[in-house]
Structure formats: C-alpha cells, structure tokens
Amino acid sequence: MIAPATGTNAGGGRRRFVAPLRGQVDAGCFRHPLFDGYGEYQDLLMAPHWPDIEALNARMPASGPRFARQDAALLTDGLHYEERIARGRIATRPENWHDLFNAMVWMRHPALKHALNQQQCRHIARMGTSERSPDQQALTQFDETGVIVQVSDPSLLDLWDRHDWTALFHANAKRWHDGGIAVVAVVGHALMEQSLVPGRLLVGKCLVVRGDPAVAVARVAASIAAGGILAAPSELRPLPLAGIPGWHARQGEAFYAQEGYFRPLREGRVYPPPL
C-alpha cells in the first residue's frame, strides 16, 4: 500500500494509518536505510518500554523547546499546535510512535524543525486557524513525509523530472552508491511511523540540493526560514522510496513497472530546480 500524504490524516477518503503496538514491532525495521542518521536514538525505539517525557527532553538541545505531555490540561491553553511550539512546548502524546519519531527529528534536526514552525506560525498569524494556505500544506507535507536528496549528476535529475523510474533506479543503481544521487536525510516522521509495517511502499516528498551533502540539511533549513521555498505542495518531488537500490527486497524491471506505485509524470507537472 502506498503511504498517504500524511501520517495523522490521510484525507481524500483514505483510512487513517494505525501503527502497530510497541511489542508487535520487529526491531529489525530500525536498521532500514530510512533510519540512517538516527542511530544515536535507537535506544528510544528498541527498549522494551516507552521513553517518558523527561527522557525525551534530556536528549533535546538546551536552547530548544521542551516536549510536554499532551493531555486535557495542556490543551486548555487554546493554542494551535504550532503556536504552542513557538512558546516552547511541543505537545507529545505518550506511547505514540508518530510523536516519538517527531521528537527524534527535533533532536536530530532542530534548525529545520524551527524553520518549519516559524513559517507555520507566520501563516497562522495571517490567516487564522480555520483555513490553510498552499504554503501550509507544503510545509506540512514536508514535515510529515519529507526527504532531502542530494544530486550531483544532472542526467539523473532529468530522469527524475520525467518519472523514468526504471532508468533512475534500475539502470543507474550504482549512482545511488557512488555519489551521483543520495538520500541525505529522511525528516518525515510519518514515513518512519508507516515503515513499522513490513513491505509498505512509501513515497517521500523531496527537496533536492546540489553541492556539499554535509550542509544540505542546513541549506534547506535556511531556505525554509527565509520563506524562499515550500510555497505550494507542487514544489515537492515524489520519490517512491522502495525503488532506491537496497531499500526493498524485490527490485527488478517487473517491480519498477508497477504504475500504481511508480507513477508516470502528470501532464503539465514541472518541478523547481534544486537548491
């Protein structure tokens, strides 16, 4: 099944994703490349018991907001979720995979999460909470299912532009290992949550960067903070993550021919240039 646009609200008539219980999750799933970059938080995922709020806050940068248990008392402040973060509290549901993965992204990429929150609050101040602008939809999609990809070879970007998935993934499999193209960071916590179900075919919503991959996340964070990107969901490139060489057990030409997952380019769809 293809991942819906977000983990918390599939929309469009789709059923909401329900994560498995902690004791039902095979810890081997956390060794998938999707979790590369989060190795220092493996104990939060693999321990027999859920980490409490204090344990999460102990891993946060001292200058960042604090996680706060989401309960009836917290919600009486009447604030929107994003507004509450701007005041220093991240509402976090106990024993909840979605919120635990969100916490991990805050720990690993605080500048990026701050930038997303800053822009969400700017739009809320302008529009209120009853409507959502295209900017907010794009920010949310990236927050939930975002992936940052670094591309060094322009010809690979051209294949991606045309949704030539077989050529991008299968014919150029080695380029995913030699620096031609690479996933720099998975930042979408809904993707992490949905990966708990084995075999689920996930789609990332990507921002593409060129240049040094070591500073790619910082460049994305700075661009978001400046309001230069994510003005509409159409800026995000879909990437069928199971197509990445080594990310799925059964990869071959027949696998990449599944148009329900590896979808052809929609007429008129044009992607923005990389950062």
Side-chain angles (χ1 to χ4, degrees), residues 2-4 34 141-142 144-149 160 165 186 188 191 201-207 236-242 261:
I2 298 173
L34 186 142
Q141 286 191 22
F142 185 70
E144 295 280 354
T145 60
V147 178
I148 299 173
V149 179
W160 193 354
W165 304 118
V186 174
L191 288 176
L201 300 179
L202 304 177
V203 178
K205 299 297 181 71
C206 302
L207 290 173
L236 293 165
R237 291 169 176 263
L239 184 67
L241 298 179
Y261 181 51

Short mmCIF file of all heavy atoms in Angstrom, two decimals, residues 2-4 34 141-142 144-149 160 165 186 188 191 201-207 236-242 261:
data_model
loop_
_atom_site.label_atom_id
_atom_site.label_comp_id
_atom_site.label_asym_id
_atom_site.label_seq_id
_atom_site.Cartn_x
_atom_site.Cartn_y
_atom_site.Cartn_z
N ILE A 2 0.53 2.20 -0.78
CA ILE A 2 1.29 3.44 -0.87
C ILE A 2 0.96 4.32 0.31
O ILE A 2 -0.19 4.45 0.71
CB ILE A 2 0.97 4.17 -2.19
CG1 ILE A 2 1.38 3.30 -3.39
CG2 ILE A 2 1.68 5.51 -2.25
CD1 ILE A 2 0.96 3.84 -4.70
N ALA A 3 1.96 4.95 0.86
CA ALA A 3 1.74 5.82 2.01
C ALA A 3 0.88 7.01 1.63
O ALA A 3 1.05 7.61 0.58
CB ALA A 3 3.09 6.34 2.52
N PRO A 4 -0.08 7.39 2.48
CA PRO A 4 -0.84 8.60 2.24
C PRO A 4 0.01 9.84 2.45
O PRO A 4 1.16 9.75 2.88
CB PRO A 4 -1.97 8.52 3.27
CG PRO A 4 -1.41 7.68 4.36
CD PRO A 4 -0.49 6.71 3.69
N LEU A 34 16.15 3.94 5.83
CA LEU A 34 15.30 5.07 6.15
C LEU A 34 15.70 5.70 7.48
O LEU A 34 15.51 6.91 7.69
CB LEU A 34 13.84 4.62 6.18
CG LEU A 34 12.77 5.68 6.35
CD1 LEU A 34 11.55 5.35 5.48
CD2 LEU A 34 12.32 5.78 7.81
N GLN A 141 3.29 18.76 4.45
CA GLN A 141 3.68 17.56 3.71
C GLN A 141 5.17 17.27 3.89
O GLN A 141 5.57 16.11 4.05
CB GLN A 141 3.34 17.73 2.22
CG GLN A 141 1.87 17.59 1.92
CD GLN A 141 1.59 17.49 0.43
OE1 GLN A 141 2.46 17.12 -0.36
NE2 GLN A 141 0.38 17.82 0.04
N PHE A 142 5.98 18.31 3.88
CA PHE A 142 7.41 18.09 4.06
C PHE A 142 7.71 17.65 5.49
O PHE A 142 8.54 16.77 5.72
CB PHE A 142 8.19 19.35 3.72
CG PHE A 142 9.68 19.16 3.77
CD1 PHE A 142 10.34 18.38 2.83
CD2 PHE A 142 10.43 19.74 4.78
CE1 PHE A 142 11.71 18.17 2.89
CE2 PHE A 142 11.80 19.54 4.85
CZ PHE A 142 12.44 18.76 3.90
N GLU A 144 5.82 15.94 7.43
CA GLU A 144 5.33 14.57 7.65
C GLU A 144 6.05 13.53 6.79
O GLU A 144 6.32 12.42 7.26
CB GLU A 144 3.83 14.51 7.36
CG GLU A 144 2.96 15.33 8.30
CD GLU A 144 2.69 14.65 9.62
OE1 GLU A 144 3.09 13.48 9.78
OE2 GLU A 144 2.08 15.28 10.50
N THR A 145 6.34 13.87 5.55
CA THR A 145 6.88 12.87 4.62
C THR A 145 8.12 13.36 3.89
O THR A 145 8.47 12.85 2.83
CB THR A 145 5.81 12.46 3.59
OG1 THR A 145 5.40 13.62 2.84
CG2 THR A 145 4.60 11.85 4.26
N GLY A 146 8.81 14.33 4.46
CA GLY A 146 9.92 14.97 3.77
C GLY A 146 11.19 14.14 3.70
O GLY A 146 11.55 13.42 4.63
N VAL A 147 11.87 14.26 2.56
CA VAL A 147 13.17 13.64 2.32
C VAL A 147 14.04 14.67 1.61
O VAL A 147 13.57 15.36 0.69
CB VAL A 147 13.04 12.36 1.46
CG1 VAL A 147 14.41 11.75 1.19
CG2 VAL A 147 12.12 11.34 2.13
N ILE A 148 15.30 14.77 2.02
CA ILE A 148 16.24 15.67 1.37
C ILE A 148 17.20 14.81 0.55
O ILE A 148 17.82 13.88 1.06
CB ILE A 148 17.02 16.51 2.39
CG1 ILE A 148 16.03 17.39 3.19
CG2 ILE A 148 18.07 17.38 1.70
CD1 ILE A 148 16.67 18.14 4.34
N VAL A 149 17.29 15.12 -0.74
CA VAL A 149 18.09 14.33 -1.67
C VAL A 149 19.14 15.23 -2.30
O VAL A 149 18.83 16.34 -2.75
CB VAL A 149 17.21 13.69 -2.77
CG1 VAL A 149 18.06 12.90 -3.76
CG2 VAL A 149 16.14 12.80 -2.14
N TRP A 160 14.56 11.84 -13.17
CA TRP A 160 13.57 12.06 -12.11
C TRP A 160 12.49 13.02 -12.60
O TRP A 160 11.30 12.80 -12.36
CB TRP A 160 14.28 12.59 -10.88
CG TRP A 160 13.49 12.58 -9.61
CD1 TRP A 160 12.16 12.26 -9.45
CD2 TRP A 160 13.97 12.91 -8.30
NE1 TRP A 160 11.79 12.38 -8.13
CE2 TRP A 160 12.89 12.77 -7.42
CE3 TRP A 160 15.20 13.31 -7.82
CZ2 TRP A 160 13.02 13.04 -6.03
CZ3 TRP A 160 15.33 13.58 -6.46
CH2 TRP A 160 14.25 13.43 -5.58
N TRP A 165 11.41 5.98 -13.89
CA TRP A 165 11.83 5.31 -12.66
C TRP A 165 12.76 4.14 -12.92
O TRP A 165 13.72 3.92 -12.16
CB TRP A 165 10.60 4.83 -11.88
CG TRP A 165 9.62 5.91 -11.57
CD1 TRP A 165 8.33 6.00 -11.99
CD2 TRP A 165 9.83 7.08 -10.74
NE1 TRP A 165 7.72 7.13 -11.50
CE2 TRP A 165 8.62 7.81 -10.74
CE3 TRP A 165 10.92 7.56 -10.04
CZ2 TRP A 165 8.47 9.00 -10.03
CZ3 TRP A 165 10.79 8.75 -9.33
CH2 TRP A 165 9.57 9.45 -9.34
N VAL A 186 16.14 11.64 5.88
CA VAL A 186 14.69 11.46 5.96
C VAL A 186 14.23 12.26 7.17
O VAL A 186 14.67 12.01 8.29
CB VAL A 186 14.32 9.97 6.12
CG1 VAL A 186 12.81 9.82 6.34
CG2 VAL A 186 14.76 9.17 4.90
N GLY A 188 10.74 13.17 7.49
CA GLY A 188 9.30 12.99 7.64
C GLY A 188 8.98 11.92 8.68
O GLY A 188 9.24 10.73 8.45
N LEU A 191 6.64 9.02 7.62
CA LEU A 191 7.29 7.95 6.88
C LEU A 191 7.88 6.92 7.84
O LEU A 191 7.76 5.71 7.61
CB LEU A 191 8.40 8.51 5.99
CG LEU A 191 8.00 9.31 4.76
CD1 LEU A 191 9.25 9.85 4.07
CD2 LEU A 191 7.18 8.46 3.79
N LEU A 201 4.85 0.27 0.84
CA LEU A 201 5.52 1.04 -0.20
C LEU A 201 5.32 2.53 0.05
O LEU A 201 4.23 3.06 -0.13
CB LEU A 201 4.98 0.64 -1.58
CG LEU A 201 5.15 -0.83 -1.96
CD1 LEU A 201 4.54 -1.10 -3.33
CD2 LEU A 201 6.61 -1.25 -1.92
N LEU A 202 6.37 3.18 0.47
CA LEU A 202 6.29 4.57 0.91
C LEU A 202 6.75 5.53 -0.18
O LEU A 202 7.62 5.21 -0.99
CB LEU A 202 7.16 4.76 2.15
CG LEU A 202 6.85 3.84 3.34
CD1 LEU A 202 7.83 4.10 4.47
CD2 LEU A 202 5.42 4.04 3.82
N VAL A 203 6.17 6.72 -0.15
CA VAL A 203 6.55 7.78 -1.09
C VAL A 203 7.01 8.99 -0.29
O VAL A 203 6.27 9.52 0.52
CB VAL A 203 5.37 8.17 -2.00
CG1 VAL A 203 5.77 9.31 -2.93
CG2 VAL A 203 4.90 6.97 -2.82
N GLY A 204 8.25 9.41 -0.52
CA GLY A 204 8.74 10.62 0.12
C GLY A 204 8.43 11.84 -0.72
O GLY A 204 8.29 11.76 -1.94
N LYS A 205 8.28 12.98 -0.05
CA LYS A 205 8.09 14.26 -0.73
C LYS A 205 9.39 15.03 -0.55
O LYS A 205 9.76 15.40 0.57
CB LYS A 205 6.90 15.01 -0.13
CG LYS A 205 5.58 14.28 -0.28
CD LYS A 205 5.19 14.08 -1.74
CE LYS A 205 3.86 13.37 -1.90
NZ LYS A 205 2.73 14.20 -1.50
N CYS A 206 10.09 15.27 -1.66
CA CYS A 206 11.50 15.62 -1.60
C CYS A 206 11.82 17.07 -1.97
O CYS A 206 11.18 17.67 -2.83
CB CYS A 206 12.30 14.72 -2.54
SG CYS A 206 12.11 12.96 -2.17
N LEU A 207 12.84 17.56 -1.30
CA LEU A 207 13.55 18.76 -1.72
C LEU A 207 14.94 18.31 -2.16
O LEU A 207 15.57 17.46 -1.53
CB LEU A 207 13.67 19.76 -0.57
CG LEU A 207 12.35 20.43 -0.16
CD1 LEU A 207 12.54 21.27 1.09
CD2 LEU A 207 11.80 21.30 -1.29
N LEU A 236 7.31 19.95 -4.16
CA LEU A 236 7.89 18.73 -3.62
C LEU A 236 7.88 17.62 -4.66
O LEU A 236 6.84 17.32 -5.25
CB LEU A 236 7.11 18.29 -2.37
CG LEU A 236 7.24 19.23 -1.17
CD1 LEU A 236 6.16 18.92 -0.13
CD2 LEU A 236 8.63 19.11 -0.55
N ARG A 237 9.02 17.02 -4.87
CA ARG A 237 9.13 15.92 -5.84
C ARG A 237 8.77 14.60 -5.16
O ARG A 237 9.35 14.26 -4.13
CB ARG A 237 10.56 15.80 -6.35
CG ARG A 237 11.04 16.94 -7.22
CD ARG A 237 12.55 16.82 -7.41
NE ARG A 237 13.04 17.84 -8.31
CZ ARG A 237 13.26 17.65 -9.60
NH1 ARG A 237 13.04 16.46 -10.13
NH2 ARG A 237 13.71 18.63 -10.35
N PRO A 238 7.86 13.82 -5.72
CA PRO A 238 7.60 12.49 -5.16
C PRO A 238 8.76 11.55 -5.46
O PRO A 238 9.34 11.59 -6.55
CB PRO A 238 6.32 12.06 -5.87
CG PRO A 238 6.34 12.80 -7.18
CD PRO A 238 7.01 14.11 -6.89
N LEU A 239 9.10 10.73 -4.49
CA LEU A 239 10.15 9.73 -4.68
C LEU A 239 9.66 8.40 -4.09
O LEU A 239 9.52 8.29 -2.87
CB LEU A 239 11.44 10.15 -4.00
CG LEU A 239 12.63 9.20 -4.21
CD1 LEU A 239 13.07 9.23 -5.68
CD2 LEU A 239 13.80 9.57 -3.30
N PRO A 240 9.38 7.41 -4.94
CA PRO A 240 8.99 6.08 -4.42
C PRO A 240 10.19 5.44 -3.73
O PRO A 240 11.11 4.93 -4.38
CB PRO A 240 8.58 5.32 -5.68
CG PRO A 240 8.41 6.36 -6.76
CD PRO A 240 9.36 7.45 -6.41
N LEU A 241 10.20 5.47 -2.41
CA LEU A 241 11.39 5.10 -1.66
C LEU A 241 11.77 3.64 -1.84
O LEU A 241 12.95 3.29 -1.75
CB LEU A 241 11.17 5.41 -0.18
CG LEU A 241 10.94 6.89 0.17
CD1 LEU A 241 10.72 7.05 1.67
CD2 LEU A 241 12.10 7.75 -0.29
N ALA A 242 10.79 2.77 -2.07
CA ALA A 242 11.10 1.35 -2.26
C ALA A 242 11.89 1.11 -3.54
O ALA A 242 12.46 0.03 -3.72
CB ALA A 242 9.82 0.52 -2.28
N TYR A 261 2.41 2.37 -8.23
CA TYR A 261 3.38 2.91 -7.27
C TYR A 261 4.37 3.84 -7.96
O TYR A 261 4.57 4.97 -7.53
CB TYR A 261 4.11 1.75 -6.59
CG TYR A 261 5.13 2.18 -5.56
CD1 TYR A 261 4.80 3.07 -4.54
CD2 TYR A 261 6.44 1.70 -5.60
CE1 TYR A 261 5.74 3.48 -3.60
CE2 TYR A 261 7.39 2.09 -4.66
CZ TYR A 261 7.03 2.98 -3.66
OH TYR A 261 7.96 3.37 -2.72
#
